[in-house]
């Protein structure tokens, strides 16, 4: 029985914690200490630049000359600026077209990958490639692909297949350039959509499909009544992010066309940069950037209210 | 309502055969339980009947029609899944009505069928709820309701109670049995729990490693197990097995322990001097002064009975005594089997020797 009793004559000593230990036990100190890094970073790198940008939008600041408060003058100027309205139109069009294509193709890819296909993991890795390549590198690659003289697409169509007689001028005319940029953006954006939706698809229990099969659902009905509604929550999140990223896109457009030809491919972001930094009119550039905010808020609210939480996802509570 | 007949059904995944020819006949309206340890192929067999797995060889016949090449939805079966597989984005009503909606049934028919199933299962108050808002037992009932609404020829249950807690399981067991008595639909029920099998089945199919070990009524399996596997699987606590030799009117095991044999007429192929396995259920051992000496190791009182694990001539033997005895670990008590309830099995094949 001696095994179960502790060695006699020894008691665990009571230690009095040092001041450091007591400091780290105090809740107010911990709250401040833990919040400080996050709040500090947010204030310095998000709130301050955003506030400065909004303030600049109401001044006539130029590079090298601090400006004065001019009220809504910058916005009044923009309201009559055809280039600005063209950038607004193209931003919306670019976002709508690219998002529609990304989601169509991304969902299709995700559905394909959700089946048992050979070399599944390799294919998944390959699909992720466009996403991990730095944007500017892929932009330069597309720039070459769209080059008026050295385009590989033109080469294949004209010299290899002989389907066309002339080289395509991808970036020379407004609409060709607009669509070319949309294609580049879709190529870059598909992996994000496809992988996110694939993750969503994999959360759907296979037994639901089996139950639907026994209930007599055709493949289309299984998609419509099981896959689509169950994918909707993640689809909403991915859609929101995709719209935000696409609407605020800058790198692809600036690297491939710099807004040309004749300002036809300016997005609001590229136009803001163009006016603000190379053009030197910081106030006007900031006003353009600030004009993006309502669009972004609208997109976020739309997906939040229209798509996000459904009643069936909510907790155990009775209605 | 229909009969279900499996003829030499085989299933292979690649080169691995997991069902080695299963023959089972199920009568119209019968409650058949497929029972066996994990990996014995019982769920696969059920999924083959449902049409969720293809049939490598053999025939499955539902209501006189070979359904090997019939699509699942045309087999006229309904299945209750282990995880219920309720559509989370549909209310109870929509879940139950889904198959009718897909079949484009008139709204009155749909409503009448849903109401009928809801009445049978006591779900009428919950029709507008989502699966999330239901308890485990209620979800289980909705899954059954979805099956009832279809008016199938055969119900298939795939371990439907394994996600419920012990108390609810007993309650749902009774409800499923009652449901079957009401609807009289042929039912195939898969479980690994032999108590579920014993309490619910009209007919039990015991499976092991892709083969059928024995088919029979619950009490037949308990009274006359065809082999050591069934003997050990059916009944709880499990049957004791002791190896030894038949010597005259006694069975002599290791340590020169004498066990009484069943009467000569019931001994079957167990002749003089034959090595065999002596099987006796714990509940068929009784305390008796002057009986076989057994050294007590563990005593577990359950209230209704005393479970005593003892060593008899080196072999572990579990006894379940109805009367309470004051035995302590280390003591030696006397036990006496009921010879009429003892079983003899072949050492090599495990087959039953006694009649």
């Amino acid at each position: 029985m001696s095994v179960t009793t502790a060695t006699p004559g020894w008691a665990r000593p009571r230690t009095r914690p040092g001041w450091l230990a007591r400091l780290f036990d105090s809740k107010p100190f911990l709250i401040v200490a833990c919040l400080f890094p996050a709040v500090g970073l947010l204030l310095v790198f998000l709130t301050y630049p955003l506030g400065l940008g909004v303030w600049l939008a109401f001044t006539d600041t130029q590079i090298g000359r601090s400006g004065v408060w001019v009220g809504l003058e910058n916005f009044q100027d923009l309201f009559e600026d055809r280039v600005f309205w063209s950038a607004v139109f193209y931003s919306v069009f670019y976002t709508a077209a690219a998002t529609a294509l990304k989601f169509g193709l991304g969902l299709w890819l995700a559905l394909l990958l959700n089946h048992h296909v050979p070399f599944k993991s390799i294919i998944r890795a390959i699909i992720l490639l466009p996403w991990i390549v730095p944007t500017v590198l892929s932009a330069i690659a597309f720039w070459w692909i769209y080059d008026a003289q050295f385009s590989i697409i033109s080469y294949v169509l004209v010299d290899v297949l002989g389907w066309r007689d002339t080289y395509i001028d991808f970036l020379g005319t407004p609409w060709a350039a607009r669509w070319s940029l949309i294609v580049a953006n879709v190529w870059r954006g598909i992996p994000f959509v496809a992988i996110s939706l694939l993750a969503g698809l994999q959360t759907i229990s296979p037994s639901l499909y089996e139950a639907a099969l026994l209930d007599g659902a055709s493949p289309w009905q299984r998609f419509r009544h099981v896959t689509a509604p169950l994918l909707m929550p993640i689809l909403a999140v991915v859609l929101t992010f995709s719209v935000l990223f696409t609407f605020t896109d800058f790198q692809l457009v600036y690297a491939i066309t710099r807004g040309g030809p004749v300002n036809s491919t300016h997005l609001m972001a590229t136009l803001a940069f163009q006016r603000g930094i190379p053009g030197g009119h910081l106030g006007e550039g900031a006003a353009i950037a600030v004009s993006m905010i309502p669009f972004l808020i609208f997109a976020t609210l739309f997906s939040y209210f229209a798509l996000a939480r459904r009643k069936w996802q909510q907790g155990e509570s009775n209605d | 309502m229909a009969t279900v007949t499996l003829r030499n059904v085989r299933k292979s995944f690649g080169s691995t055969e997991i069902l080695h020819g299963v023959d089972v006949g199920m009568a119209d309206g019968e409650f058949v339980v497929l029972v066996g340890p994990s990996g014995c192929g019982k769920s696969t067999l059920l999924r083959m009947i449902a049409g969720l797995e293809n049939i490598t060889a053999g025939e499955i016949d539902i209501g006189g029609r070979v359904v090997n090449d019939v699509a699942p939805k045309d087999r006229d079966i309904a299945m209750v899944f282990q995880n219920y597989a309720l559509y989370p984005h549909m209310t109870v009503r929509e879940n139950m009505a889904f198959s009718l909606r897909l079949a484009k049934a008139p709204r009155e028919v749909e409503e009448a069928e849903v109401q009928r199933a809801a009445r049978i299962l006591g779900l009428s108050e919950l029709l507008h709820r989502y699966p999330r808002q239901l308890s485990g037992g209620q979800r289980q009932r909705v899954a059954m309701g979805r099956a009832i609404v279809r008016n199938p020829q055969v119900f298939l249950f795939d371990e439907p109670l394994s996600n419920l807690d012990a108390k609810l399981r007993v309650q749902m067991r009774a409800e499923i049995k009652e449901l079957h008595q009401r609807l009289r639909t042929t039912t195939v029920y898969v479980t690994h729990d032999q108590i579920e099998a014993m309490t619910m089945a009209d007919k039990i199919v015991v499976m092991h490693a892709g083969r059928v070990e024995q088919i029979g009524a619950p009490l037949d399996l308990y009274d006359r197990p065809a082999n050591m596997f069934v003997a050990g699987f059916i009944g709880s606590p499990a049957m004791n097995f002791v190896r030894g030799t038949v010597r005259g009117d006694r069975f002599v095991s290791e340590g020169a322990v004498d066990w009484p044999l069943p009467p000569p007429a019931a001994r079957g192929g167990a002749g003089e001097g034959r090595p065999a396995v002596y099987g006796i259920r714990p509940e068929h051992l009784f305390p008796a002064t002057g009986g076989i000496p057994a050294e007590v190791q563990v005593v577990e009182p359950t209230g209704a009975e005393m479970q005593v694990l003892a060593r008899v001539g080196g072999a572990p033997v579990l006894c379940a005594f109805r009367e309470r005895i004051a035995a302590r670990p280390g003591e030696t008590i006397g036990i006496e089997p009921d010879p009429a309830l003892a079983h003899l099995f072949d050492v090599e094949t495990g087959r039953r020797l006694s009649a």
Side-chain angles (χ1 to χ4, degrees):
Chain A
M1 280 290 124
S2 63
V3 185
T4 53
T5 47
T7 318
W10 184 83
R12 189 175 294 278
R14 283 172 185 272
T15 47
R16 194 179 139 69
W19 67 270
L20 200 60
R22 269 179 287 139
L23 181 65
F24 277 99
D25 274 345
S26 110
K27 207 166 184 180
F29 172 78
L30 278 181
I31 290 173
V32 172
C34 294
L35 274 181
F36 179 74
V39 172
L41 285 174
L42 283 176
L43 283 175
V44 174
F45 293 108
L46 268 169
T47 316
Y48 170 69
L50 185 67
L52 184 64
V54 173
W55 184 77
L56 280 177
F58 295 95
T59 68
D60 63 353
T61 310
Q62 296 189 11
I63 288 183
R65 195 202 76 186
S66 61
V68 295
W69 180 267
V70 294
L72 290 172
E73 198 176 290
N74 284 328
F75 294 96
Q76 281 161 1
D77 288 349
L78 286 178
F79 197 77
E80 284 148 26
D81 185 344
R82 279 191 46 247
V83 175
F84 171 73
W85 284 112
S86 139
V88 170
F89 161 75
Y90 186 54
S91 291
V92 172
F93 179 75
Y94 181 79
T95 307
T99 306
L101 285 171
K102 271 189 269 197
F103 271 78
L105 296 170
L107 181 60
W108 175 68
L109 261 180
L111 289 170
L112 279 185
L113 284 178
N114 199 31
H115 285 281
H116 292 287
V117 285
F119 310 111
K120 200 168 173 174
S121 43
I122 295 251
I123 296 177
R124 272 185 211 173
I126 292 174
I127 282 179
L128 269 178
L129 272 182
W131 206 46
I132 56 172
V133 175
T135 313
V136 173
L137 286 190
S138 50
I140 291 170
F142 269 100
W143 188 46
W144 278 104
I145 289 174
Y146 292 150
D147 190 274
Q149 286 179 51
F150 304 108
S151 164
I152 184 162
I153 301 174
S154 296
Y155 171 75
V156 168
L157 289 179
V158 176
D159 296 330
V160 178
L161 296 171
W163 289 358
R164 281 180 63 100
D165 297 327
T166 54
Y167 274 29
I168 307 166
D169 190 7
F170 288 103
L171 302 177
T173 58
W175 277 104
R178 284 171 181 155
W179 280 109
S180 300
L181 288 176
I182 287 171
V183 168
N185 180 279
V186 168
W187 178 83
R188 233 193 104 62
I190 277 184
F192 174 67
V193 176
I195 296 296
S196 309
L197 293 186
L198 181 62
L201 285 176
Q202 289 181 338
T203 62
I204 302 177
S205 160
S207 62
L208 289 182
Y209 291 109
E210 291 177 344
L213 189 72
L214 294 179
D215 275 341
S218 63
W220 165 248
Q221 286 169 326
R222 286 200 293 276
F223 175 77
R224 170 143 160 35
H225 294 292
V226 179
T227 315
L230 293 179
L231 203 56
M232 209 43 89
I234 193 151
L235 196 88
V237 174
V238 179
L239 186 70
T240 312
F241 277 104
S242 178
V243 164
L244 296 184
F245 289 149
T246 313
F247 195 82
T248 56
D249 195 8
F250 173 84
Q251 297 179 71
L252 266 183
V253 172
Y254 205 74
I256 297 180
T257 66
R258 287 180 193 265
V262 284
N263 293 326
S264 61
T265 59
H266 261 309
L267 295 171
M268 290 171 82
T270 55
L271 188 65
F273 177 77
Q274 184 75 41
R275 294 272 170 90
I277 308 299
H281 296 275
L282 284 177
E284 200 182 327
I288 297 173
V290 167
S291 322
M292 293 168 76
I293 293 175
F295 291 95
L296 297 178
I297 290 177
F298 174 76
T300 317
L301 289 182
F302 173 77
S303 65
Y304 184 80
F305 284 111
L307 298 165
R309 273 179 86 79
R310 301 299 171 101
K311 201 170 158 208
W312 58 266
Q313 288 178 273
Q314 284 160 8
E316 312 272 324
S317 66
N318 302 338
D319 37 324
Chain B
M1 303 261 176
T3 58
V4 177
T5 313
L6 313 179
R7 289 188 209 98
N8 195 25
V9 171
R10 287 167 186 276
K11 175 74 185 174
S12 308
F13 288 112
S15 58
T16 329
E17 193 174 69
I18 59 152
L19 285 176
H20 314 285
V22 171
D23 290 275
V24 183
M26 306 175 192
D28 187 12
E30 206 167 27
F31 197 114
V32 179
V33 174
L34 304 179
V35 67
S38 321
C40 70
K42 56 192 189 298
S43 279
T44 307
L45 189 61
L46 190 80
R47 290 167 58 81
M48 287 162 82
I49 299 174
L52 298 173
E53 300 279 355
N54 58 16
I55 300 159
T56 309
E59 276 183 352
I60 293 180
D61 175 318
I62 298 177
R65 176 175 67 140
V66 174
V67 295
N68 284 32
D69 299 318
V70 177
K73 67 181 167 99
D74 299 323
R75 292 190 182 191
D76 213 354
I77 45 113
M79 182 156 166
V80 176
F81 290 82
Q82 181 172 7
N83 61 2
Y84 317 137
L86 299 179
Y87 309 116
H89 56 291
M90 296 186 194
T91 61
V92 170
R93 177 195 302 279
E94 289 164 341
N95 261 290
M96 301 212 296
F98 189 55
S99 61
L100 293 171
R101 183 87 35 112
L102 290 177
K104 299 200 164 58
R107 281 296 151 99
E108 312 86 69
V109 175
E110 183 187 307
E111 185 58 28
E113 284 296 315
V114 169
Q115 291 296 350
R116 180 181 71 99
R119 240 187 350 265
I120 292 175
L121 295 164
L123 289 170
S124 303
E125 306 296 309
L126 305 173
L127 285 177
H128 60 283
R129 296 252 189 115
Y130 286 94
R132 272 248 162 146
Q133 302 166 317
L134 302 177
S135 69
Q138 289 168 336
R139 284 179 212 180
Q140 166 70 57
R141 257 183 240 138
V142 176
M144 293 200 294
R146 198 164 63 175
I148 292 173
V149 163
R150 303 189 52 198
N151 274 320
Q153 294 194 15
V154 181
F155 279 129
L156 306 176
F157 288 87
D158 187 6
E159 307 215 13
L161 304 184
S162 53
N163 287 355
L164 301 179
D165 63 58
K167 198 172 173 189
L168 201 52
R169 202 177 302 164
V170 175
Q171 188 192 330
M172 291 307 295
R173 203 160 78 192
E175 278 189 34
I176 293 177
K177 195 168 177 179
E178 191 196 20
L179 182 71
H180 175 254
Q181 277 157 4
R182 233 170 122 170
L183 301 175
R184 283 278 150 216
T185 306
T186 313
T187 302
V188 187
Y189 186 106
V190 163
T191 180
H192 60 264
D193 181 351
Q194 57 92 17
I195 301 214
E196 257 172 49
M198 292 294 283
T199 50
M200 297 171 84
D202 294 324
K203 181 195 273 179
I204 295 181
V205 178
V206 182
M207 294 183 66
H208 176 48
R211 288 199 170 77
V212 171
E213 296 283 348
Q214 190 174 2
I215 301 176
L219 292 180
D220 288 348
L221 262 54
Y222 179 85
D223 291 338
R224 301 193 63 256
N227 52 46
M228 281 173 67
F229 178 79
V230 177
F233 193 79
I234 298 290
S236 173
M239 188 185 282
N240 298 300
F241 296 112
V242 185
R243 288 181 74 142
T245 321
V246 177
R247 294 255 182 262
D249 265 356
R250 311 293 287 175
F251 180 87
V252 182
S253 73
E254 188 191 337
V257 180
D258 267 359
W259 299 82
L261 280 176
R267 277 179 219 164
E272 173 69 19
R274 174 166 184 155
V277 174
Y278 185 88
I280 183 79
R281 295 192 183 279
E283 56 270 33
H284 297 152
L285 288 165
F286 304 95
T289 40
I292 300 166
E295 189 196 338
V296 176
Q297 292 194 306
V298 180
V299 180
E300 292 176 330
T302 65
E305 58 184 25
M306 299 277 288
Q307 292 191 5
V308 177
L309 180 64
R311 288 196 88 79
V312 179
V317 169
L318 185 70
C319 318
F321 299 137
R322 302 293 302 184
E323 57 265 61
R324 299 184 179 178
I325 58 162
R328 288 163 168 279
E331 288 177 8
T332 299
I333 57 170
I335 57 171
E336 188 62 48
D338 181 343
L341 298 174
H343 310 260
L344 286 172
F345 300 98
D346 187 88
V347 174
E348 304 285 314
T349 62
R351 286 238 181 81
R352 179 183 189 81
L353 296 171
S354 44

